[in-house]
């Protein structure tokens, strides 16, 4: 991906660390490449870093590109909808008090209005091409601020989740993606975590645990990094196809069966590790859609096969 120097002598890039709690804008749904991708992703990363100087320069560049602003809006609105289970009507009200830490811009509310009706409603309404450059700048600024805020919330001070492997109800499925042997962790039911007041604090407990233990968003643009995720381990025992996957702290992530083929086992043996993909995949038919929508994560884990 092209890297652009912004207002200062530095570039904001969190593609290789855990600051990005969500998939980067350019990698969402249908990946973008080149200068547009670099600008969108650096804008997200500059917002994560709180660098107003770079953020301002990048917003000027993004605002000139209606397609980039449309992608930022779709990216932010879908992430917000998934985190909250729906698109919060409060984001469209525009009645935040003057002292509010975060306030949505009028341009953002105008472009986000269709999302109040869910993903189907999001297909209708005005687009960024109908907006002026200053309006597109305001909308883009609100979009990245929203996601950066959710990223900060996701990293801040929750109590560790005490969940037994059986409670997660995972089902391991061996397979291939992008010419690599992988394990898809199918999740027929999504486990949410609520506080004492019944407010959902964790939308997907499995994804939360994986991200906390080093998991990163799976991007169809960059695919899998070659480095192993620190601390994870896995064992596959044959016959019986018994798979055991452990978190870095030694606790069990998965303990159950996983049928494999000899070709899959040879591919894993050649590298000594395997990418484990998690996300909203209830069955194998959901895999491609979840990955291409930028809704999955992965860890690369050393796998020992016992014949």
């Amino acid at each position: 991906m092209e890297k652009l120097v912004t207002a200062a002598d530095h570039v904001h890039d969190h593609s290789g660390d855990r600051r990005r709690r969500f998939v980067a804008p350019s990698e969402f749904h249908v990946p973008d490449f080149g200068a547009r991708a670099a600008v969108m992703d650096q804008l997200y990363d500059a917002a994560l870093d709180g660098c107003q100087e770079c953020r301002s320069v990048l917003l000027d560049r993004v605002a000139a590109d209606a397609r980039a602003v449309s992608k930022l809006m779709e990216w932010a609105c879908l992430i917000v909808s998934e985190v909250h289970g729906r698109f919060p009507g409060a984001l469209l009200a525009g009645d935040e008090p003057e002292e509010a830490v975060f306030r949505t811009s009028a341009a953002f509310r105008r472009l986000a209005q269709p999302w109040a009706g869910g993903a189907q409603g999001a297909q209708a309404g005005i687009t960024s091409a109908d907006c002026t450059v200053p309006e597109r700048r305001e909308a883009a600024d609100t979009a990245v601020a929203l996601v950066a805020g959710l990223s900060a919330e996701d990293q801040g001070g929750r109590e560790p989740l005490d969940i037994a492997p059986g409670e997660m109800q995972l089902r391991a499925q061996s397979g291939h993606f992008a010419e690599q042997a992988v394990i898809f962790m199918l999740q027929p039911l999504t486990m949410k975590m609520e506080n004492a007041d019944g407010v959902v604090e964790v939308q997907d407990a499995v994804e939360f645990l994986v991200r906390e233990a080093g998991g990163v968003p799976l991007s169809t643009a960059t695919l899998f990094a070659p480095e192993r995720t620190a601390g994870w381990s896995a064992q596959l025992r044959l016959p019986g196809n018994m798979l055991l996957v452990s978190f870095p702290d030694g606790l069990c992530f998965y303990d159950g069966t996983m049928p494999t083929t000899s070709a899959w086992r040879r591919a894993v043996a050649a590298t000594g590790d395997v990418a484990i993909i998690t996300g909203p995949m209830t069955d194998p038919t959901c895999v491609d859609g979840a990955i291409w929508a930028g809704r999955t994560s992965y860890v690369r884990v050393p796998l020992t096969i016992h014949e």
Side-chain angles (χ1 to χ4, degrees), residues 111-127:
L111 288 173
Q113 191 70 42
W115 283 89
Q120 294 300 319
Q123 305 303 315
I126 68 165
T127 68

Side-chain angles (χ1 to χ4, degrees), residues 202-288:
V202 178
Q203 193 71 26
D204 186 332
V206 173
E207 280 293 88
F208 175 80
L209 291 171
V210 169
R211 292 289 185 90
E212 286 293 295
V216 295
L218 173 55
S219 160
T220 52
T222 56
L223 296 176
F224 307 105
E227 298 81 14
R228 294 176 178 177
T229 309
W232 286 75
S233 62
Q235 299 180 50
L236 178 65
R237 296 190 177 276
L238 305 175
N241 296 313
M242 294 303 299
L243 176 68
L244 174 65
V245 182
S246 299
F247 284 112
D249 59 8
L251 294 178
C252 179
F253 174 63
Y254 181 81
D255 186 359
T257 60
M258 183 187 70
T260 60
T261 65
S262 57
W264 186 91
R265 295 194 296 272
R266 284 195 301 271
V268 172
T271 61
D273 55 37
V274 65
I276 300 177
I277 301 173
T278 61
M281 303 175 292
T282 58
D283 59 59
T285 64
C286 302
V287 169
D288 285 346

Side-chain angles (χ1 to χ4, degrees), residues 48-71:
L48 291 174
D49 292 337
C51 182
Q52 292 301 124
E53 183 182 14
C54 291
R55 183 170 163 180
S56 179
V57 172
L58 290 163
L59 280 169
D60 289 340
R61 295 179 179 175
V62 165
D65 188 334
R67 180 182 167 191
V69 174
S70 292
K71 186 151 193 171

Side-chain angles (χ1 to χ4, degrees), residues 23-262:
V23 67
S26 72
E27 300 165 2
F28 169 77
H29 196 49
V30 179
D32 280 66
F33 302 93
R36 175 187 290 117
V39 171
M40 289 190 297
D41 293 355
Q42 283 191 67
L43 177 57
Y44 176 32
D45 291 342
L48 291 174
D49 292 337
C51 182
Q52 292 301 124
E53 183 182 14
C54 291
R55 183 170 163 180
S56 179
V57 172
L58 290 163
L59 280 169
D60 289 340
R61 295 179 179 175
V62 165
D65 188 334
R67 180 182 167 191
V69 174
S70 292
K71 186 151 193 171
L72 284 172
M73 285 297 303
E74 184 182 10
W75 167 75
C77 289
L78 182 58
I79 287 173
V80 170
S81 298
E82 290 185 345
V83 168
H84 293 281
R86 58 180 175 76
F87 192 86
L91 293 178
L92 302 177
D95 56 0
E96 301 94 341
E98 290 293 332
E99 66 274 13
V101 175
F102 178 80
R103 304 182 68 186
T104 56
S105 64
F108 175 88
R109 295 194 298 272
R110 187 180 173 206
L111 288 173
Q113 191 70 42
W115 283 89
Q120 294 300 319
Q123 305 303 315
I126 68 165
T127 68
S128 59
D130 302 315
C131 298
T132 65
V133 171
E135 287 174 333
R136 290 202 293 264
R137 191 183 194 280
E138 286 184 359
D141 193 26
T142 301
V144 295
L146 265 176
V147 179
L150 290 172
S151 298
E153 289 176 9
D154 221 18
Q155 291 177 326
R158 287 195 185 96
E159 292 293 321
L161 301 184
D162 184 16
I163 303 174
E167 291 182 274
M168 293 189 284
Q169 300 187 39
L170 301 176
R171 181 163 62 88
Q173 172 87 45
S174 61
H176 291 80
F177 184 77
E179 300 182 347
Q180 287 199 38
V182 301
I183 296 173
F184 301 107
M185 281 296 175
L186 305 179
Q187 189 178 354
L189 298 175
T190 300
M191 177 181 290
K192 300 180 181 181
M193 305 299 292
E194 300 179 349
N195 62 18
D197 298 321
V199 177
V200 176
E201 290 191 330
V202 178
Q203 193 71 26
D204 186 332
V206 173
E207 280 293 88
F208 175 80
L209 291 171
V210 169
R211 292 289 185 90
E212 286 293 295
V216 295
L218 173 55
S219 160
T220 52
T222 56
L223 296 176
F224 307 105
E227 298 81 14
R228 294 176 178 177
T229 309
W232 286 75
S233 62
Q235 299 180 50
L236 178 65
R237 296 190 177 276
L238 305 175
N241 296 313
M242 294 303 299
L243 176 68
L244 174 65
V245 182
S246 299
F247 284 112
D249 59 8
L251 294 178
C252 179
F253 174 63
Y254 181 81
D255 186 359
T257 60
M258 183 187 70
T260 60
T261 65
S262 57

